[in-house]
Amino acid sequence: MASQDWIDKDFYSVLGVSKDASQADVKKAYRKLARKYHPDQNPGDAAAEKRFKDITEANSVLSDPEEREQYDAIRAMGSGARFTAGGPGGAGGSAGGGFEDIFGDLFNGGGGGGRRRYTTYSGGGGGFEDLFAQFGGGQGGGFGGQSGFGAQGGFSGYQAPPAKGEDIHTTTTIPLRSAYNGTTVKLRRGNGQTTTVRVPKGVKDGQRLKIAGKGHTGPGGNGDLFVTVKVKEHPFFTREGLDVHVTVPVSVPEAGLGATVQVPTLDGGHVNVKIPAGTSSGRRMRVKGKGFTSGSSTGNMIVTVQIVLPAAINDAARQALEDFAAATEDFDPRADLGAQAAV
């Protein structure tokens, strides 16, 4: 197949895949279409036979990484334009020449000739600058001014854009309460300059923040600053997703008779939590809306009850416990333990 034909045919559309499709996707699409349009499945169907040939042709190019690279480059260069062959070194010349004749000169040492299919180019990078650079300075002295290429094979006047400065990567550690409320931190660079970074409410441990333009300076502009946030553990509050978990100790009378207890919150205040009568250790209660906020979502505070007895029990307390035990002697908290363990 000649290069002009490559410009005119969209092999990606033929196979129904995107231009960034993987080789595996190309192979999968080809097999599916080949089974559908194979002549054995469509005897006497000229349209199906034509479709099968197109599918096979597209696959032969896109399944070969080198040919696919050439195809992409030729399509990119040929979009919106067609080239006519000129004589050596200029725009006039023999009629009938086309885009393929340019490549005929390149791959065949400047000689003419008929249409050819080229499969030998394997340069890196994949752009036309790289393709022509392989042949700059060859026979004919490169392309003339009207063709848009310099004598070295690259685009005339082309130069790489100036590089941006390097990015900076750093880490900062903040308290859990600062992650809950949001905060700002000041980071000092090696040159003594400081950068103030806003840490948003609800930031997670290990989350990375990007501050554009605060990296090192370069000819093409500044790089970016990336800050990884570490959140300290708290002795009372713990975080699970957007929820805040706390464990609240209660006395035996509070758990047995019921009570209302004050529980601190991460915002610096407190909430009143009702402990129902007959509450056991491990029971959990939810306080809505007292968790972390991230965007439009807010978590809850989960309160876990833990019954705590005094380390030293005096005679009056002992007597009270004995009386309680006598009054509840029919209650066995381990009655179902054996059945649960046998499951």
Side-chain angles (χ1 to χ4, degrees):
M1 186 193 308
S3 302
Q4 183 70 51
D5 295 326
W6 280 9
I7 294 176
D8 294 335
K9 294 186 178 182
D10 187 346
F11 292 145
Y12 293 102
S13 294
V14 171
L15 294 183
V17 297
S18 63
K19 292 183 179 180
D20 58 354
S22 66
Q23 292 299 104
D25 290 338
V26 170
K27 184 177 181 181
K28 181 178 179 181
Y30 167 70
R31 287 183 173 180
K32 180 179 179 180
L33 293 172
R35 283 195 298 268
K36 180 178 180 180
Y37 293 101
H38 195 282
D40 292 345
Q41 302 294 326
N42 304 273
D45 189 336
E49 182 178 357
K50 174 64 168 58
R51 184 85 168 93
F52 180 76
K53 289 180 179 179
D54 292 341
I55 294 165
T56 303
E57 182 182 50
N59 180 66
S60 68
V61 174
L62 299 186
S63 64
D64 185 319
E66 293 183 2
E67 289 207 14
R68 181 175 178 177
E69 184 177 355
Q70 293 180 46
Y71 171 74
D72 288 341
I74 290 171
R75 288 272 297 177
M77 176 137 181
S79 60
R82 291 295 183 269
F83 291 83
T84 57
S94 61
F99 192 74
E100 62 271 22
D101 295 320
I102 297 177
F103 283 84
D105 291 341
L106 286 175
F107 286 92
N108 293 278
R115 294 173 176 258
R116 307 170 185 81
R117 181 173 179 174
Y118 305 107
T119 60
T120 58
Y121 175 67
S122 60
F128 260 76
E129 300 95 328
D130 299 327
L131 184 77
F132 285 112
Q134 297 290 324
F135 302 96
Q139 294 190 24
F143 293 90
Q146 292 189 15
S147 68
F149 296 91
Q152 297 302 316
F155 290 97
S156 58
Y158 173 82
Q159 65 181 76
K164 291 176 60 178
E166 291 184 1
D167 295 335
I168 296 176
H169 296 264
T170 188
T171 301
T172 188
T173 302
I174 63 175
L176 183 66
R177 197 179 300 276
S178 294
Y180 178 85
N181 294 317
T183 187
T184 57
V185 295
K186 287 188 176 181
L187 304 176
R188 185 176 299 278
R189 299 172 55 175
N191 59 6
Q193 295 180 343
T194 60
T195 299
T196 300
V197 177
R198 187 182 68 84
V199 180
K201 293 177 62 173
V203 67
K204 298 178 182 178
D205 180 53
Q207 185 173 336
R208 191 171 72 159
L209 308 177
K210 176 183 176 181
I211 300 87
K214 294 297 183 179
H216 291 298
T217 302
N222 292 347
D224 299 322
L225 171 64
F226 293 90
V227 181
T228 300
V229 180
K230 296 293 185 183
V231 181
K232 294 179 182 178
E233 292 185 358
H234 195 279
F236 180 66
F237 301 102
T238 58
R239 177 177 182 171
E240 292 184 15
L242 293 179
D243 291 337
V244 175
H245 287 251
V246 297
T247 298
V248 176
V250 298
S251 67
V252 172
E254 288 174 332
L257 302 176
T260 298
V261 299
Q262 283 191 351
V263 180
T265 55
L266 260 175
D267 58 10
H270 69 271
V271 291
N272 293 324
V273 177
K274 184 177 180 179
I275 308 297
T279 294
S280 299
S281 278
R283 183 169 180 175
R284 303 204 309 177
M285 284 154 286
R286 183 181 68 171
V287 180
K288 189 175 181 180
K290 287 297 182 179
F292 281 81
T293 296
S294 180
S296 60
S297 300
T298 300
N300 305 308
M301 185 165 74
I302 309 301
V303 179
T304 301
V305 172
Q306 182 180 44
I307 298 174
V308 178
L309 277 72
I313 298 177
N314 59 29
D315 292 340
R318 183 180 298 277
Q319 184 60 54
L321 289 173
E322 290 175 352
D323 292 343
F324 179 77
T328 58
E329 61 181 353
D330 293 335
F331 172 67
D332 183 1
R334 294 173 295 282
D336 298 331
L337 200 60
Q340 294 176 22
V343 174

